[in-house]
Amino acid sequence: MKHTIKYFSILCITLLCSCGKWIDVQPTDRISEDLLFSSREGYLKALNGVYVEMADPSLYGQFLTAGSVDAMGQYYVLGRHNNPYFYFGTFDYTAAINKSGFEGVWQKSYSIIRNLNILLEKVGEAPTAVLPEPYFSLVKGEALALRAYIHFDLLRLFGPAWSASEKVVPVMPYYLKASKEIAPLYSSVEVMDLVLADLIAAQEYLRKADPILSTGIGNQNGTNGDNSLNYRQYRLNYYATNLLLSRAYLWMNDKTNAGALAKETIALVQTDQNPLFPFVTSADAMNISLPDRLFTSEVMFAMYTINRVEVYNNLFSPAINPSIRLAPNAGNTDVTRVNAMYDDQNDYRRKIWEPYALTGTTLTTNQKFKDDVDGPGRYMIPLLRVSELYLIAAECSTDLTEGLTYINALRLHRNAFSLTAATSAALQQIITSEYRREFVCEGQQFFYYKRLGFTELPNHVGLTGTKPMPLNSYRVPLPESETSLRQ
């Protein structure tokens, strides 16, 4: 892609932070780097700006979570060509809407990566009077983890599934500096080596400074309005970085490291006496007026966006024309496809699929992101949650009984009956079903299918059944803006 000198935008910073007159510099729509990084507040605002940009609808604010990538996970009936998500659900990467959407992901992601690299270069290698501890280690640790997070998702999307033959093929650039020079295309192995290096370094910095280790997630306002050490669910914190690293190991089929880290993190955050990310309670999940559809207490890392209501309005609202709405049927109350997802109809997760009455009709809608004033996690879009630790631990367990223990611990907290499995293959089928139930609207199901090379997926045109999935359809082509530079 074409990389130009870029500064942190005022918009990106002011959405989360109140800014003073010190940003009123020329040109009026940009903040100069020298001014931005002249104070501790500037470093923190720059980091906040990265999170705000990640919450853009072209990335984790919709496209990579509840929108296009979730449609690729085959949750919905997409039988009409005029539904814009039909082309994502059928993996037609030649369609203009697909090419535009993935181009946006690529451009926006590398723009954010460039800003992270500027921030990391300014942070340097040691605390200073301007950026002392714990802020130095906190900013550096989060920035390294975020750089790894975004590169890793680009690989999962644009790279091949992990295999002996494909993992050595050049795939994508990994930018470690804010240089204008075009980086070479690295293979999946090389990209993942850099992802692991960034995450392991991030762990070390965050272990020194992350307040989540001493005071918890801190979901309350700080002294004098200083929230730089609070609301750790909305930051890529130490424990969330552990989960991301475990996810990365599993992508590489390194089940030894993935499983060990997942089990270690469960032991740290799910203590019997005081769990840091406690499972949702029945009272909260089944609350009649303000149900906790996101299971917010379990979320280890999330985007914060006051525009989350637009996700519901753009994708799921009954007010949307049925031909362009994401729905589990043809625009009616049929729940055949929904019921097929859940082996226990008392499962808390099923509650997101609710009937909604309109004048003259009733529709079944996905209400996971419905906007409830005063509702829990009103502005939250989950990216990493504690249940994934249990699923990774189950998949990586070499003992069948141990694997089932992790699965049934999760199902217990979903109000679902316990399961048994006679073979490892049967356990994997259970894990597949749990992924499908667990991550609706969170953009993970497509990557699960890709990682394991599924050759059949749920059918996008019917309430039941499957369709063939060519393995080459899992790989999104590099955008033209990138390939044009390498001809």
Side-chain angles (χ1 to χ4, degrees):
M1 65 175 290
K2 296 179 180 178
H3 295 282
T4 57
I5 295 295
K6 198 177 211 29
Y7 299 104
F8 291 92
S9 69
I10 288 176
L11 172 63
C12 161
I13 291 168
T14 55
L15 284 175
L16 279 186
C17 302
S18 174
C19 295
K21 294 182 179 179
W22 60 273
I23 62 172
D24 189 15
V25 295
Q26 296 296 325
T28 57
D29 66 337
R30 300 291 176 188
I31 301 172
S32 72
E33 291 177 25
D34 289 342
L35 184 57
L36 180 63
F37 298 114
S38 63
S39 67
R40 186 193 80 185
E41 182 185 34
Y43 282 94
L44 296 173
K45 288 181 184 295
L47 183 60
N48 284 346
V50 168
Y51 284 108
V52 173
E53 289 296 285
M54 287 178 67
D56 189 88
S58 66
L59 292 180
Y60 300 99
Q62 181 171 304
F63 190 96
L64 294 175
T65 48
S68 301
V69 174
D70 233 33
M72 293 164 71
Q74 310 301 311
Y75 283 109
Y76 307 105
V77 171
L78 301 167
R80 304 182 184 184
H81 286 73
N82 59 337
N83 187 315
Y85 293 96
F86 172 87
Y87 299 97
F88 293 97
T90 57
F91 311 103
D92 182 359
Y93 300 125
T94 65
I97 189 171
N98 275 20
K99 294 171 73 173
S100 174
F102 292 120
E103 179 74 58
V105 170
W106 188 267
Q107 294 280 358
K108 189 73 170 178
S109 294
Y110 278 111
S111 173
I112 293 172
I113 288 168
R114 177 171 173 78
N115 282 348
L116 285 166
N117 283 331
I118 292 173
L119 176 58
L120 285 165
E121 289 170 11
K122 294 294 182 178
V123 166
E125 300 301 321
T128 63
V130 173
L131 191 66
E133 292 287 14
Y135 302 99
F136 165 79
S137 291
L138 199 63
V139 171
K140 186 152 188 173
E142 287 184 42
L144 286 167
L146 289 167
R147 184 170 71 180
Y149 190 108
I150 297 171
H151 277 112
F152 180 32
D153 269 2
L154 288 172
L155 178 67
R156 292 202 296 170
L157 196 59
F158 295 97
W162 191 268
S163 70
S165 60
E166 293 290 342
K167 68 182 181 181
V168 295
V169 176
V171 177
M172 57 173 275
Y174 198 108
Y175 283 91
L176 298 171
K177 296 181 179 179
S179 171
K180 291 188 293 182
E181 296 182 5
I182 299 171
L185 295 182
Y186 293 107
S187 69
S188 294
V189 169
E190 292 169 319
V191 170
M192 289 309 299
D193 283 346
L194 292 168
V195 166
L196 297 183
D198 273 349
L199 290 177
I200 291 169
Q203 278 183 314
E204 292 304 310
Y205 285 109
L206 292 172
R207 189 180 289 115
K208 299 176 187 176
D210 196 335
I212 201 170
L213 292 161
S214 56
T215 57
I217 60 176
N219 280 353
Q220 66 279 325
N221 288 328
T223 305
N224 298 322
D226 180 7
N227 291 322
S228 57
L229 302 178
N230 294 62
Y231 297 100
R232 299 303 296 163
Q233 278 182 298
Y234 296 99
R235 295 291 183 267
L236 193 41
N237 59 71
Y238 173 75
Y239 294 117
T241 299
N242 278 6
L243 170 51
L244 180 57
L245 181 56
S246 184
R247 179 190 284 181
Y249 281 131
L250 190 56
W251 182 261
M252 302 167 68
N253 201 30
D254 182 352
K255 291 187 176 182
T256 300
N257 279 316
L261 184 54
K263 294 169 188 177
E264 174 188 326
T265 307
I266 289 171
L268 292 172
V269 303
Q270 293 297 99
T271 60
D272 292 337
Q273 299 300 319
N274 188 29
L276 191 59
F277 300 101
F279 282 110
V280 69
T281 64
S282 176
D284 288 336
M286 303 303 290
N287 189 289
I288 295 176
S289 58
L290 292 174
D292 186 354
R293 301 184 184 93
L294 300 184
F295 308 160
T296 53
S297 62
E298 304 177 16
V299 176
M300 299 177 71
F301 173 46
M303 292 289 98
Y304 178 95
T305 173
I306 59 174
N307 297 317
R308 199 196 71 182
V309 62
E310 295 304 317
V311 176
Y312 181 74
N313 291 340
N314 292 337
L315 304 177
F316 308 114
S317 171
I320 301 173
N321 185 311
S323 67
I324 61 173
R325 186 168 60 94
L326 287 180
N329 49 42
N332 49 44
T333 58
D334 195 311
V335 290
T336 301
R337 191 180 183 93
V338 171
N339 287 341
M341 287 177 58
Y342 301 89
D343 55 6
D344 189 332
Q345 297 304 303
N346 295 313
D347 193 319
Y348 296 149
R349 293 169 292 193
R350 195 195 179 287
K351 187 173 174 58
I352 65 171
W353 307 96
E354 299 178 4
Y356 194 99
L358 288 174
T359 303
T361 188
T362 302
L363 305 173
T364 298
T365 64
N366 178 346
Q367 300 199 45
K368 190 168 184 176
F369 287 155
K370 181 182 177 183
D371 187 47
D372 292 324
V373 177
D374 298 325
R378 185 184 183 190
Y379 302 129
M380 172 184 280
I381 296 181
L383 298 185
L384 293 166
R385 58 171 64 248
V386 75
S387 54
E388 187 175 353
L389 289 170
Y390 283 79
L391 292 169
I392 293 174
E395 184 173 347
C396 297
S397 293
T398 56
D399 179 79
L400 187 60
T401 300
E402 181 187 56
L404 282 166
T405 298
Y406 283 109
I407 285 293
N408 286 323
L410 172 60
R411 288 177 60 86
L412 172 66
H413 294 287
R414 297 293 179 256
N415 198 37
F417 52 71
S418 294
L419 297 174
T420 60
T423 65
S424 296
L427 175 60
Q428 191 67 53
Q429 289 181 339
I430 292 170
I431 292 169
T432 298
S433 297
E434 291 301 318
Y435 263 89
R436 190 159 177 79
R437 290 186 274 264
E438 192 66 21
F439 299 111
V440 179
C441 292
E442 297 177 25
Q444 296 305 313
Q445 190 61 33
F446 170 75
F447 296 127
Y448 177 84
Y449 290 143
K450 180 173 182 174
R451 174 170 63 83
L452 293 176
F454 274 61
T455 56
E456 286 192 346
L457 299 183
N459 197 341
H460 68 281
V461 295
L463 297 175
T464 60
T466 61
K467 64 180 179 182
M469 178 63 174
L471 292 179
N472 60 3
S473 291
Y474 281 114
R475 184 173 180 179
V476 178
L478 292 186
E480 292 177 359
S481 65
E482 184 68 28
T483 57
S484 65
L485 298 178
R486 302 179 185 275
Q487 293 177 347

